[in-house]
Amino acid sequence: MQIRSIILYSKSGEKRVLDFRLGELNIVTGTSQTGKSALLDIVDFCLGRDEATLPISPIFNTVSWYAVILQLPDTRVLAARPAPRPGAKSVTNAMLEVGNSLGVPELADLRVNTDSTQLRQQLGRRIGIGATRSESPSGSLLPALSANLGHAVLLCLQNQDEVASKRSLFHRQNERGIPESLKATIPYFLGAVPEDQAVLQHQLTQAKRALRRAEHTLKAAQETHQGIEARLESLLGEARVHGLLTDNSVTSDRAAAVAALQQAVSFQSTRGSADEDQRRQELRLTEQTSALRRQLRSLAEERQLLNDLETQAAGYTGAVARGISRLSALDLVPDSVAGEHSCPLCGHDLPEPDPTVADMHTTLSDLRGQLDSVQTVNPRREQALREIEQTAARLREQLQGIEGALSIIAEQRNQQAGLLGQAEAQAFTRGRISAYLSQISTASNRAHLQNLESDVAVAQRLVQGLEEQLDAEAIDDRLTHSISYLSGKMTGHARTLRLEHGDRLVRLDLKKLTVVADTLEGITELLRIGSGKNHVGYHVAAHLALHQYFVANSRPVPRFLMLDQPTQPYYPSDMAKQRGRLEDIALDEDRVTVTRLFELMHEVTTELSPNFQMIVSDHADLPHPWFQDSVRYNWRNGEKLIPTTWLNDNPTR
Amino acid sequence: MPSWTQRPQASAAFLNPALVAAVTATAARDYERASSGALMPWPMAFVVAPLVLHRPTRRVLPISTRTHLANWVAAHPVLVAGMGARCTSLASPVREGLRFGLRHQMLTIEHGFLKSSIPAKSHPRGELADLIKAASLMGRWTSKSEPSTVFALLGVRP
């Protein structure tokens, strides 16, 4: 994802369109107060940030909409947001359009059609941010976090306060909650945390529960198994006493004893004159049972559908494009017979060309053109599966309840029948016998015990397998690998820029979210020492290294980096900033460093081209030809982001 | 499609061309009204019908067009997952419905866009009322985004 254009709309419908080149270094140079820094805020805002951080001034009040046109590998996306009303702290309205050849729309065409959350989700899934959720550690009050575009954008922006800050390395790191989300999501963006971690975590919880259940059943069965003969004997005796059994022979064979007891239970159970009502109720409950079973079956089908979808998507796309796949084609007109000679309504060939039919083809091919390589974003599978699972569990509980009720009814009927003709004691004994028999009927079976044991073993293996996949050590290993790659790149950049301590091994500390150097004396936090010049250097080095890593590993992070005024510590006065010339910098070595800074950015962007875009707004206006080639806008001598004429043409509230 | 008399009675009645034509014409009429004059592109008919005629989908359609399509899509992943298959399977009934509508002057085609000519006032009853109401909503709803965006969000291409 790179930025094609940034567009501002005035209230009266005028447009200010800034175009940027893809895959190159883009420089916007100019004097102070021309709106250079606002570019970054506009991009931040249009990509779904809710708080309005745009400047509040009469000139910005003339803007009614902000928009960016983003270039994805094969699609363009227009993300637009209505300007917040003066005084409003945040907005959630947004507009999202997708198409292959989206142009710059007119103000009249803009309308709110989504909100910022969905904007972030849709864009995020389109660049390949999967259905991740990092579960918060147990006991923590933090909600589970799912990575979205909002988190990725934090790695792509640096405004003028941040680029030279010694306190924060990343965008908005000083804001509440942001450091936590950075720490939770950077491992994912680096590729250390697997995509399906959340799903695995969920499966693990369920597997553990299943294991506990299996162990419990096994234990109960084993307990029942002990002392079974004695109980059978005593029950036989009881049955004889109450006249349920006539045969007085003593048997030590368990099977025979059980058979005798069963006979005792079924004694006198022929009087089935149950209530009409009870019958009806039973019927109703049975119907409910089958309805519930049907629902469970359709849920299983839905789950299958979602699983199939994932398989198809994975078959078509590579590791980057997980979660997106081709739109499914309707094939309204077979491609082979395109043209005005075939009717789009019936597919038949027409002897004569028909103007209406030709028009229909035009509409169709226009629409197809817009959608040619647009990809669809798969529905949030993980969330959907979870919901289906929950519904299924609820239905299963209902089913159990109803089946319980059914068995109670059956029991009652037996009881009534018994009480009519027999003594209460007989019925009581029968109940006891039947309860025990049902208990032992399964438990007494050797094979059954073995089944239970193997169930437990299977559940244990499942839990083990999942735990291995979720192994924290493996994640740490992968993270260390990424960090050392980054460290290599960063050290290289630091040397190129001749930064203080640049001769040491420089690395990223994800726990503290800062840049550190390991020395014999210990760990030195580099952002805490040295001057603003070093801070800028390390910010640039770290972010360039990160993006080099993201590109090399096809990680789902937007392929652009926006920097605002990286050379601010070098320009001694406002006067110097006005002109931005190299000669205005007092020290010789600073001139060299500023040149080197831009050279590095140019070099890295060229090296990664066309997969990486940089947009830098700065005062500097260097004379070198490669620099001048990269200058897109030079806002001096009155040219600004927002034309001053807008002030006159637009009523300010 | 098999000829009318050879189709199974039930599916013939459920997907009869008059119903599809009425649904499409209603959607086209309200699309035009909501977008102040812009007509509905004809391929949109192939998306509207599956959304309106599929009962589980129709049941969860929003009450008003204030719900954004993108949000609705995110909230109903299972329905969206099956969209492609349903649209494909309904393509020939929709084609038939369009032909029916054209023949009976419920619809006309203007430069590749559908213009509806059915009157606004009609008081259907029973399930038909639900269908027509849903069709009207779909017309107004889809007019809120570019056609390409609607197709992309629902995961289908014409």
Side-chain angles (χ1 to χ4, degrees), chain A residues 541-554:
Chain A
H543 279 87
L544 284 178
L546 273 169
H547 277 276
Q548 282 173 308
Y549 181 87
F550 294 148
V551 173
N553 292 285
S554 310

Side-chain angles (χ1 to χ4, degrees), chain A residues 97-98 115 330 332 345, chain B residues 71 95 102 146 148-149 157:
Chain A
E97 295 289 357
V98 188
D115 60 25
L330 292 179
L332 292 188
L345 281 185
Chain B
N71 302 27
R95 248 185 224 122
L102 291 172
E146 286 295 312
S148 61
T149 309
R157 59 187 304 252

